[in-house]
Amino acid sequence: MRENLLGLPLEEATRLLEAQGIAPRVTLTAAPRRAGTQEGVLRVVYACEGGELTAARFLEPLGDEACGE
């Protein structure tokens, strides 16, 4: 697994792989209640050595503010 890509915005992870000569293959995933929504930022939730990326949408900002703290 390419742990250095986890949590990155999908565009950034794609650029990093392309700079290494790897053409990423992207799969999008979502919770059933959020399927089809365009809200949030696509972030990498899984990345393997062959350039396969799985991304999901996350509402911004990530951090304490999202938890109501």
Side-chain angles (χ1 to χ4, degrees):
M1 183 180 293
R2 298 181 67 106
E3 293 179 6
N4 62 316
L5 299 177
L6 297 179
L8 290 179
L10 181 58
E11 289 181 13
E12 184 177 341
T14 299
R15 279 194 303 271
L16 288 171
L17 288 175
E18 289 173 345
Q20 297 173 18
I22 300 170
R25 293 177 308 282
V26 177
T27 302
L28 301 180
T29 189
R33 64 184 173 87
R34 296 209 27 158
T37 185
Q38 297 299 310
E39 283 184 79
V41 174
L42 285 169
R43 291 188 176 275
V44 176
V45 294
Y46 177 79
C48 74
E49 292 299 328
E52 290 184 46
L53 300 176
T54 301
R57 290 191 181 276
F58 288 84
L59 298 177
E60 295 290 349
L62 289 177
D64 293 339
E65 301 84 27
C67 298
E69 295 179 9

